Amino acid sequence: MDFYLGIDFGTSGARGVVINEETSIQAEVRYPFEDLPAGAMASCWQEALFALLEQIPQGLRREIRAIAINGTSSTVLLVDAAGKPIDAPLLYNDTRGSSVVDDLRSIAPPNHTVLSATSSLSKLIWMKQLPSFSEARYFLHQADWLGFLLHGYLGISDYHNALKLGYDVEELKYPEWIEKLQIPIQLPRVLPPGTPVTELRSEIADNFGFRRDCLVCTGTTDSIAAFLASRAKLPGEAVTSLGSTLVLKLLSRTRVEDARYGIYSHRLGKLWLTGGASNTGGAVLQQFFTNPELASLSREIDASKASELDYYPLLKAGDRFPINDPNLPPRLEPRPDNPVEFLHGLLESIARIETKGYELLQQMGADKLTRVYTAGGGAANDTWTAIRGRCLNVPVIASKYTEAAYGTALLAMRRNTGMRECGKSEECGGMWD
């Protein structure tokens, strides 16, 4: 039997999932990150990558047919002609690009995804001022560089990672306005996510006991991989991630973009994955309650009745989606003495923000919401799920699989077997075309 490996590089560590042709998990491996010094970040990623390969049972390694890797969106680095990093990578949340956004605004189209301090393109333009920039030959995303370590070809990316570099994912080319930036190094060649690049480097295959014809594929971003893991596949289906923040992603036949609200769309075959993120979420709940308290108090809430408390739960002022106001104040009053009532108000209010978010996406042209899968810690709270179902007025289901590495393994498999044909069927909605 053939197996497929998906590798996820997140903020807290790296993970690997091996699946079989029936999409069942055969092995899971992990490599936690400690506090990584900036100068050693890339070498730690490399160490983590090979440590994950070593952890996979030898019997599975010999039967893995394809590998794909996801990384955090807009985590980038410069490398020389041999693929060696010439300076510290910039992480997904690095805002040093804010100093160049105004200059970029004069060139890029209005409200474009790149017009953000954390976009890949903003980071690249900022990097041009580094003393080491003269040594750079390629600009790569985290997943691009990790893939290079396995297949040996520099300058290859996928259109999920390249979206925030300015790549036109509708026309599948770099737009003409990017030429005005006169970038003196090689931008990545962009391929569809999950596309086989070439076989695994022979020395890696031999050292770790992989088959010589194991394919290394282009990757994706961590958030897209988590969406794929949910198994949502039809227009109108969505995934809400209820972690420390609230992240919405809705599968649509229509592309929706508006940087004013942090809304952008990733291409998924013939479909679009549109979404936005709010600063509300689980982090606010944990400011007031421990996890055991959240579990016990939630069981005392009558989810069929709406709370009259109207909050906008934030840790500090500011939100982008569905309300775009950097000065929006948290609203957490009045606070009742009864903790059950207070928690009910918080859960209900976050559910209302989620509902407004999906309404905004639909108002801007996305498909009508039909079903919501839930990932993140909030998915385990049955009371919250019932409240959200009442507010959203569609079925709300906890995702069976939530690991991004699982979604990336699916990507490697779907692009490398006859199952890619499902992209032409109504069942898969064209997502894998």
Side-chain angles (χ1 to χ4, degrees):
M1 180 177 289
D2 291 327
F3 299 98
Y4 302 87
L5 170 61
I7 298 175
D8 162 46
F9 271 74
T11 55
S12 61
R15 302 167 183 83
V17 168
V18 179
I19 63 172
N20 63 13
E21 292 171 324
E22 281 72 48
T23 72
S24 297
I25 295 176
Q26 304 300 297
E28 296 183 76
V29 293
R30 295 176 181 269
Y31 187 97
F33 293 148
E34 305 298 333
D35 291 331
L36 301 181
M41 199 178 304
S43 61
C44 289
W45 294 345
Q46 181 171 347
E47 179 181 325
L49 176 62
F50 293 130
L52 290 178
L53 299 183
E54 184 71 41
Q55 289 179 47
I56 297 169
Q58 288 186 350
L60 291 180
R61 285 185 232 167
R62 290 192 293 268
E63 302 301 329
I64 290 175
R65 182 176 173 183
I67 303 171
I69 302 175
N70 76 70
T72 50
S73 178
S74 293
T75 292
V76 298
L77 70 166
L78 296 168
V79 302
D80 62 18
K84 181 180 178 181
I86 57 107
D87 217 311
L90 297 188
L91 296 180
Y92 66 99
N93 58 353
D94 194 298
T95 59
R96 278 175 276 190
S98 60
S99 61
V100 304
V101 171
D102 285 342
D103 292 338
L104 187 55
R105 190 172 283 113
S106 66
I107 296 173
N111 301 322
H112 197 281
T113 304
V114 300
L115 297 175
S116 162
T118 59
S119 75
S120 300
L121 188 57
S122 294
K123 292 185 174 89
L124 171 56
I125 296 172
W126 180 87
M127 285 172 155
K128 288 171 64 177
Q129 67 185 313
L130 293 173
S132 58
F133 190 80
S134 61
E135 304 172 39
R137 293 295 177 269
Y138 294 94
F139 176 80
L140 301 176
H141 300 88
Q142 182 185 36
D144 307 339
W145 186 69
L146 292 166
F148 153 74
L149 295 179
L150 296 185
H151 57 60
Y153 283 81
L154 277 167
I156 296 177
S157 189
D158 62 89
Y159 59 57
H160 290 161
N161 276 292
L163 175 71
K164 295 180 183 179
L165 184 56
Y167 184 78
D168 188 332
V169 294
E170 194 155 16
E171 298 295 329
L172 296 178
K173 63 181 183 179
Y174 286 104
E176 292 181 2
W177 59 262
I178 280 189
E179 296 178 7
K180 298 178 182 178
L181 296 171
Q182 297 181 332
I183 297 169
I185 63 173
Q186 183 70 44
L187 294 180
R189 175 190 173 203
V190 181
L191 301 173
T195 300
V197 177
T198 191
E199 294 172 349
L200 188 65
R201 282 178 166 175
S202 58
E203 63 269 26
I204 295 177
D206 293 343
N207 289 342
F208 290 96
F210 284 80
R211 52 198 285 175
R212 279 288 191 100
D213 62 349
C214 176
L215 294 170
V216 182
C217 308
T218 51
T220 183
T221 66
D222 55 346
S223 62
I224 300 295
F227 180 90
L228 297 177
S230 74
R231 311 305 294 271
K233 57 183 178 293
L234 296 175
E237 294 185 332
V239 172
T240 296
S241 294
L242 285 174
S244 57
T245 59
L246 175 71
V247 182
L248 313 184
K249 291 190 179 296
L250 173 60
L251 199 57
S252 174
R253 286 166 290 199
T254 304
R255 182 182 185 183
V256 175
E257 304 264 345
D258 197 324
R260 294 174 301 172
Y261 299 97
I263 296 173
Y264 56 90
S265 293
H266 277 286
R267 183 174 187 144
L268 281 182
K270 293 180 179 178
L271 301 178
W272 298 95
L273 188 56
T274 183
S278 170
N279 293 332
T280 193
V284 182
L285 301 178
Q286 291 179 333
Q287 185 180 27
F288 300 104
F289 303 101
T290 65
N291 286 333
E293 287 172 338
L294 286 170
S296 62
L297 294 173
S298 293
R299 286 192 288 268
E300 298 183 44
I301 294 172
D302 183 352
S304 66
K305 296 182 179 179
S307 170
E308 296 181 359
L309 296 169
D310 184 18
Y311 299 141
Y312 204 103
L314 297 170
L315 290 178
K316 60 182 181 180
D319 205 5
R320 274 184 79 185
F321 175 86
I323 296 176
N324 178 26
D325 183 354
N327 300 310
L328 183 71
R331 190 168 68 246
L332 294 164
E333 300 289 343
R335 180 173 177 177
D337 294 332
N338 186 334
V340 175
E341 292 180 21
F342 182 47
L343 178 59
H344 189 181
L346 290 172
L347 297 179
E348 186 95 22
S349 296
I350 296 174
R352 290 174 188 146
I353 294 170
E354 178 186 10
T355 302
K356 289 179 181 177
Y358 282 121
E359 288 175 348
L360 178 59
L361 295 176
Q362 292 169 91
Q363 288 167 10
M364 299 183 79
D367 273 71
K368 180 178 174 60
L369 184 70
T370 60
R371 181 187 302 259
V372 174
Y373 294 87
T374 311
N381 190 318
D382 293 337
T383 301
W384 202 3
T385 298
I387 291 172
R388 293 170 52 233
R390 172 168 49 76
C391 290
L392 292 164
N393 200 30
V394 297
V396 177
I397 303 163
S399 299
K400 181 179 179 181
Y401 298 107
T402 59
E403 287 281 3
Y406 179 80
T408 308
L410 285 176
L411 182 65
M413 183 189 73
R414 301 255 183 198
R415 283 290 184 183
N416 291 283
T417 71
M419 293 185 70
R420 77 178 73 180
E421 294 301 316
C422 80
K424 299 176 182 177
S425 72
E426 184 176 341
E427 177 188 359
C428 291
M431 197 172 77
W432 296 103
D433 270 1

